[in-house]
Structures are given as C-alpha cells and as structure tokens.
Amino acid sequence: MSATATPDREGTPEREGTPLPPRVVLGRASLLAGRTVTALVEFEAAARAARTPAEIRLAAHHEALVHAVRGSLDAADGILARAYDDDPAPYSGVGAEPTDAVARAARALLAVERLTPEASAAVRSLDAGTPGLLPFALLADTRLSLAEGLPHRTLDTLDLLLPQLPARGALMADIAAASRIDAFALLGDLRAAGRIDTAGGDLTRLARARLVLRQGRPAGAATLAGAILTARGTPPGQRAEASLLIAWATFLRTGRVDAALATSAARWMLATGARRSLAMLPASARAELAAAVPADVRDAFARAAVGVVAAPEVPRIPPLTRSERRVLAAVRGPVTLDAAAHLLGVSRNTVKTHLTSVYRKLGVTRRAEALVTGERLGLFDGIESMP
C-alpha cells in the first residue's frame, strides 16, 4: 500500500490509514448481520455526510450492493450509473476494500439475477479472498450455479469457502443454509435438505418453502411463503419469489393458479429483467403461470424464460395427514402392525387403514417402497413415532 496521499477532485488528500466513515462501518455491520433496511439507512446517511467524492462513491457503491442483495435491481442500477465512477480517486481508509470491488460485487449480483451472458465472467471477477466481500461473492456464485442446474457445484463452493471464515455472521449463515437446502432439494435428496438448520433469515425461509413444496406439501409451502410475502420489510426480490411459490403451490393443491400473484411477480420480473427466479420452477409450473397471466404479459414472460434451465418436476403427491405420517414413521424397521398400534395408542385396524391410504397417495404397494419414498420426501422430519 502506497504511503503517499492521493488527491481527490477537491484537492483534499485521502491519506492512508484514514478510518472508514462511522456510518459506513455501521452500515457494513448491519448488512453482514442481515439487517438490510438498517444498512441502507446507514449508507444513505454516509453519502450525505461525505466530505470528498471518494467517500461519496464508497457509500454509494455499498448502497448499490445492498439493493442488489435485496433484489431492488433498478435502484442498484441507478446508483451505479451515476457519476461516482467518473472520479478516479480511490478510497484508502482502514478496512476498506477497493471501491471498485464493492461495485463489482453489486454488478455481479445484478448480472446473476438477470442471468445475462456476462454473469459467469462477473462472478469470476470477484475476489473471494477479500473477507468483507466474501458473503456477496458466495451469494452470486451459489445463485448462479443453482440457476444453471449445477447443485453439485453449489455444495462444492460452500465446502471450499465456508471453512475459511473465522466468523460468519447472520447473512453468511442465511446464504449458506438457503444454498444447501436448494442444492440438496434439486439433487432429489430431500432428507438431507430437511436436516439443514432453518433458523436463518428470509433466504432460508424461502428455500424451506421450496423444499416443503417438493416434499408434496403445497399447503405448508404456501403458508411459509405467505408469511414472507406479508412480512414488513420483505425485499422486493423475495416478495416476487414468494408470490411465484404461492401461485405454484396453489396450482399443485387446487389445479388453479393464483392469477393475481402470478401476474404481479411476472410484471416485476419483466420490469427489472430478473430471470433467476424462473430457474427455481419446473417447466410445467412455468407453463401454468404463463397461461394465468394477461395476454400482454404472456409472450414477454415466455421470452424471458428462453434459455433458463428449468428445475426438476415436482410430483403431485396428495399430502399425507399428520396421523398418516406418524403411522408410516412407526412402521420403520422390523415392526409389526400390532407393535405399531401399541406405540401409537390406536387399534391395529387404524394402522392398516392409514397405511392403505399412504400407499395410495405415494403410488406404491409395499411398506418398503413407502418407507423409501417417505425418506426421500422428508416425510419423517419432525415426526415422532411415539405419541
């Protein structure tokens, strides 16, 4: 690091060793803690209090990064397009990454969200060795690999980068948990996905809703996504994803798509150019959603989906009741029907009746097949064999 001062446009030097502006420090701490609204407030305040063009650019690029994380793509675009980039003076404060590195992270997330041809190069340009930007490099990388239908690469990236972190923070934990859930779910290992700690933030809750949908529980998925949609402060990108999930879950449950939600999400995607959410939907879901939106949106929606890898199809399995799931859990292993009935405190005929219903819903004829399917779908998660 150079020991000489670099003058800014106003002729005021930015000296090495200058501490980061206090509001930038607070904004970064809030962002890494997953408090994106608070982070925006702090970075906006930092821009207003800035004394030099370099400080303005530092705050503005962090603000754009937060908007990119939240899915406010147009807001991030607007900030990055301003004249801040015209000033060549870098910010050299203590603990600061190069200002252009923050902007690159924001642009990479925007490219991934839109699945542009430049997305892969933008992700590769990020320096994973810069600790302050690692969460955003990880978010961009895992989102892109999942959207490209490469869940194995997602898991490899997580295994490679996470051990390098001495402390992860809430945002990093949220990114890691959500990415693992989605990766295992896309691989069809719903049991492994269900064992991931879901005490994270909105990203994890959305991934959990997608998992529950793949487990054949569309009503539960709609409930989880609905809570995200109606929560105060939910970022626009996650609102759109939740809307798509509810529309898809409603179709799986009732055979009808929630046209209002589908239209709202489709219009947001078309207005912002966001296409990544489509990669989390199977082709059949995309077709049903496209059929539900108005004609003026339908063709544009179909064009937006061109080239976007579709997620694996979700079998339309009728949801098992809690009693049916408990009976199925009770007959794991070399357990007789009489023993299962005793464990559950019900009659042998009740066990037989529930098992018959389970076999019909799962499309199997034998207990062993039902147990294998139940494990794959995560039907035993949270269910106790004992009453």
Side-chain angles (χ1 to χ4, degrees), residues 199-283:
D202 286 340
L203 299 178
T204 305
R205 284 189 280 273
L206 269 172
R208 178 66 181 172
R210 287 189 286 267
L211 171 62
V212 170
L213 192 58
R214 289 194 168 277
Q215 290 174 332
R217 293 184 280 160
T223 298
L224 291 171
I228 296 169
L229 183 63
T230 58
R232 183 177 180 181
T234 298
Q238 291 163 27
R239 288 181 61 84
E241 286 192 56
S243 296
L244 284 175
L245 265 173
I246 296 171
W248 179 19
T250 302
F251 170 73
L252 291 178
R253 190 174 75 251
T254 68
R256 300 189 307 275
V257 172
D258 187 318
L261 281 176
T263 300
S264 173
R267 290 191 187 280
W268 177 84
M269 285 190 292
L270 295 176
T272 62
R275 302 194 301 153
R276 182 186 59 83
S277 298
L278 291 174
M280 305 309 291
L281 300 175

Side-chain angles (χ1 to χ4, degrees), residues 278-315:
L278 291 174
M280 305 309 291
L281 300 175
S284 61
R286 292 184 196 174
E288 294 296 338
L289 292 171
V293 301
D296 64 317
V297 177
R298 191 173 303 132
D299 289 343
F301 184 85
R303 287 194 299 272
V306 173
V308 179
V309 177
E313 292 291 339
V314 176

Side-chain angles (χ1 to χ4, degrees), residues 134-179:
L134 181 54
F136 314 105
L138 183 64
L139 180 61
D141 193 301
T142 54
R143 280 184 167 177
L144 181 61
S145 58
L146 288 170
E148 291 178 339
L150 300 170
H152 280 298
R153 195 179 80 188
T154 299
L155 296 174
D156 289 343
T157 299
L158 290 167
D159 291 340
L160 175 66
L161 294 182
L162 289 181
Q164 301 178 23
L165 292 175
R168 298 184 182 178
L171 178 62
M172 181 65 83
D174 196 20
I175 293 169
S179 300

Side-chain angles (χ1 to χ4, degrees), residues 3 24-25 46 57 90-91 117 143-144 167 197 223 242 244 278-279 285 309 317 330 339 352 368 374:
V24 171
V25 174
R57 191 170 64 254
Y91 187 85
R143 280 184 167 177
L144 181 61
D197 183 7
T223 298
L244 284 175
L278 291 174
V309 177
I317 299 173
K352 287 184 63 176

